Amino acid sequence: MEKKQRKKVKKPMSETESNDLDDISCLFFQKGIMGLFLLISIFSLLLRVAVSLHSYSGAGTPPKFGDFEAQRHWMEITTNLPIKDWYFNTTNNDLSYWGLDYPPLTAYQSYFHGLFLKHFDRNSVSLFTSRGYETHFGKLLMRWTVLSSDLLIFFPAVLYFVLIELRGVNILHRHCLTKLIKGWKNNNPAMMTTLACLLKCDQCDYMIERVADCYIYWTIAEVVGVASCLKVLSRLAPFERGIYEDYVANFWCSSSVLIKWKRLFTTNSLRFLSLVATILTFLPSMIQQIWSPSSKGLLYGLLNSSLAFYLFSFQVHEKSILLPLLPATLLAMELPGVLSMLLMHSALLSMFPLLCRDKMAVPYLALYMLSILLYLAPCGKQHIKKHLSRSMVTFSIVISYLCSLVLHIIYLTIRPPEKYPFLFEAMIMNFCFSHFLAFTVYTNAAQWMLSRQSTSRDKEKKLN
């Protein structure tokens, strides 16, 4: 007997689902959201090009030439040496000269970029002889590796996320997406301020930090895969540099004004302390999400855990503050406008000394002023005024911005005392750290409030 083939009958959409889809399509296409998305993308690309006209980290400063040379050298290593030698000290790979210390997936990214450079300018990645290679054409090719990474990886990743939501994949509930899209226009200032932070790092230092954010989950899988290879892990976690290297707005650097961690404790002790402090900081967020999981709680969990790692983990780079900014931007509709504004502002300020050392003060100040102007624009003003009704909040915001202005002026115009050459860096880092810490406390509390809201909704359902 022939088996009867049953035709699959699609269940009709409920009225609510149909309305949600109608709302999304209307907002996304009819009310200019798609046009807005394209406009922001084009605008951000133009900003990247404008920033790229300025100098960069290590320009014309032998023998190591800074971060530009690090990125170029990794392309040189990956395109000329076998994979097994990428992370190991050999006659052809001197790890003391910008040894590769990024995860394997980003090493492959360097490899493909290196092939691009090799095709158009072989001398730019030739083994040994290309060190300190700074021709105009070589620089242009390097800048294109950054722009192409944005165009091929970062922007499509953002768009793909939105499209998945529109197709009904349950990453975030559809009504959350609708709410996010409805608030997109009012939250452009927050997103554009995040963009300002990203621009200064990517285009000034040639660091592909933002692309690395797209690789987070892949990298976790890779680290598990290479866990047995301790030498590679030692390259990815350079403990010999100490618990902090430059002035970064985290706990260890900020508190070193009072407690000389490097003198009082061994590296092993500090590794253990930082591990415990980091775990204890993100543990409440993790417990809440396990106890009462939700899509919004997941975003808060990503934000709180990334803040925990920035504030307390071992050997944090200044640019690591970019990682918390990503989930913070996705939560722009949930966070008070003034609070997200302060976070973005503090993130900008925390990278100020780093960018000044790289002679990037002019583009920094230009983008800094742009971010403020975007907040003062009509759409930004409306969003902020909702949360400025309390005089205490307004007073705190004004004081914070005045302090920031003073710190900028002091750092640019006054020479620090000879006895304390890094006094102003320490002042900036402690100022920013206090903001990051307060923000972490608030967002953890906000995440736990989700559990109460969930419990209240469950009680209402039972009563009804």
Side-chain angles (χ1 to χ4, degrees):
M1 289 177 65
E2 296 182 1
K3 292 182 178 179
K4 293 182 179 179
Q5 294 182 349
R6 295 181 180 177
K7 292 183 179 179
K8 292 183 180 179
V9 180
K10 291 184 179 180
K11 292 182 179 179
M13 270 191 209
S14 66
E15 188 177 344
T16 306
E17 288 177 335
S18 179
N19 289 338
D20 285 342
L21 285 174
D22 289 341
D23 288 344
I24 292 171
S25 61
C26 178
L27 287 163
F28 204 75
F29 295 105
Q30 295 179 18
K31 294 195 177 181
I33 297 299
M34 176 59 84
L36 184 63
F37 181 85
L38 292 174
L39 184 63
I40 290 174
S41 299
I42 293 169
F43 179 61
S44 63
L45 280 174
L46 290 175
L47 281 179
R48 283 163 171 74
V49 173
V51 173
S52 71
L53 298 175
H54 291 267
S55 184
Y56 54 85
S57 172
T61 56
K64 284 201 168 184
F65 299 95
D67 289 331
F68 171 88
E69 173 63 9
Q71 295 291 329
R72 190 215 57 77
H73 180 64
W74 293 348
M75 297 176 196
E76 170 196 340
I77 292 299
T78 53
T79 53
N80 289 286
L81 299 181
I83 296 174
K84 63 184 178 65
D85 291 340
W86 286 0
Y87 288 95
F88 297 95
N89 199 56
T90 66
T91 53
N92 293 324
N93 187 18
D94 180 10
L95 293 182
S96 64
Y97 185 82
W98 294 119
L100 183 58
D101 56 5
Y102 270 32
L105 192 59
T106 50
Y108 287 118
Q109 183 189 351
S110 294
Y111 170 74
F112 287 113
H113 283 158
L115 293 179
F116 172 76
L117 265 67
K118 203 169 190 175
H119 177 76
F120 290 100
D121 186 5
R122 181 173 291 274
N123 293 330
S124 65
V125 287
S126 61
L127 196 62
F128 299 128
T129 59
S130 62
R131 291 191 178 185
Y133 193 84
E134 291 185 312
T135 65
H136 176 73
F137 187 53
K139 294 175 187 177
L140 186 63
L141 291 174
M142 286 289 288
R143 295 190 190 280
W144 272 108
T145 62
V146 180
L147 290 172
S148 63
S149 297
D150 282 344
L151 288 170
L152 297 175
I153 300 175
F154 182 68
F155 287 173
V158 174
L159 184 58
Y160 182 62
F161 175 80
V162 176
L163 291 176
I164 283 179
E165 292 308 310
L166 293 176
R167 290 173 186 170
V169 176
N170 191 24
I171 295 175
L172 293 174
H173 292 307
R174 194 179 291 118
H175 69 273
C176 292
L177 179 66
T178 307
K179 187 178 180 183
L180 176 63
I181 293 175
K182 283 180 179 177
W184 201 346
K185 291 183 179 179
N186 287 339
N187 285 282
N188 279 338
M191 294 185 178
M192 291 308 298
T193 309
T194 304
L195 173 64
C197 296
L198 296 169
L199 280 171
K200 282 195 280 293
C201 285
D202 279 343
Q203 289 297 339
C204 303
D205 295 345
Y206 289 90
M207 299 297 283
I208 321 290
E209 299 292 340
R210 185 167 58 258
V211 177
D213 293 332
C214 300
Y215 293 157
I216 292 172
Y217 296 106
W218 293 348
T219 303
I220 291 171
E222 282 191 282
V223 170
V224 174
V226 299
S228 59
C229 189
L230 296 179
K231 289 184 180 179
V232 172
L233 288 178
S234 67
R235 293 293 307 145
L236 302 183
F239 293 114
E240 72 279 357
R241 297 181 188 174
I243 195 160
Y244 65 90
E245 195 169 6
D246 292 323
Y247 277 81
V248 58
N250 72 348
F251 171 77
W252 306 109
C253 183
S254 300
S255 62
S256 66
V257 176
L258 301 175
I259 305 171
K260 304 303 176 184
W261 298 104
K262 294 180 180 180
R263 294 180 192 172
L264 297 174
F265 298 91
T266 64
T267 298
N268 286 336
S269 299
L270 290 174
R271 283 163 60 180
F272 178 74
L273 283 173
S274 65
L275 176 64
V276 171
T278 304
I279 292 173
L280 290 177
T281 307
F282 71 66
L283 194 60
S285 178
M286 183 186 293
I287 292 172
Q288 188 281 331
Q289 187 60 7
I290 294 172
W291 181 27
S292 180
S294 66
S295 56
K296 197 183 298 182
L298 176 62
L299 289 178
Y300 271 109
L302 290 171
L303 174 57
N304 290 324
S305 59
S306 57
L307 283 169
F309 276 93
Y310 177 81
L311 292 175
F312 294 102
S313 61
F314 198 101
Q315 188 58 238
V316 172
H317 196 281
E318 294 96 321
K319 290 190 289 289
S320 297
I321 193 58
L322 299 180
L323 187 57
L325 293 185
L326 294 175
T329 302
L330 291 175
L331 284 166
M333 281 301 295
E334 304 298 329
L335 298 171
V338 290
L339 198 60
S340 59
M341 180 175 68
L342 278 178
L343 173 66
M344 307 300 178
H345 170 261
S346 300
L348 285 168
L349 178 58
S350 70
M351 293 188 288
F352 180 50
L354 168 69
L355 295 166
C356 281
R357 288 198 301 272
D358 292 337
K359 300 176 182 178
M360 296 300 300
V362 172
Y364 167 88
L365 292 173
L367 289 173
Y368 183 85
M369 292 305 299
L370 175 62
S371 65
I372 292 177
L373 288 173
L374 286 167
Y375 267 117
L376 295 176
C379 61
K381 268 185 178 178
Q382 263 186 345
H383 185 60
I384 292 169
K385 282 179 180 177
K386 293 177 184 178
H387 304 281
L388 286 180
S389 54
R390 296 180 183 178
S391 57
M392 194 64 188
V393 174
T394 308
F395 178 75
S396 301
I397 297 296
V398 171
I399 291 297
S400 180
Y401 267 88
L402 285 176
C403 289
S404 174
L405 178 63
V406 170
L407 287 171
H408 276 96
I409 294 171
I410 288 175
Y411 193 84
L412 290 172
T413 60
I414 301 176
R415 177 179 289 184
E418 291 184 8
K419 191 177 179 181
Y420 304 105
F422 300 107
L423 174 63
F424 300 150
E425 282 90 344
M427 290 169 62
I428 290 173
M429 293 309 107
N430 277 279
F431 177 79
C432 294
F433 169 71
S434 64
H435 285 70
F436 295 148
L437 188 62
F439 189 81
T440 303
V441 172
Y442 175 86
T443 51
N444 271 275
Q447 184 177 347
W448 275 93
M449 286 298 292
L450 296 176
S451 300
R452 288 190 180 182
Q453 293 171 8
S454 178
T455 305
S456 299
R457 283 195 296 268
D458 291 340
K459 286 181 179 178
E460 287 178 7
K461 285 180 181 178
K462 288 179 180 179
L463 290 173
N464 293 331

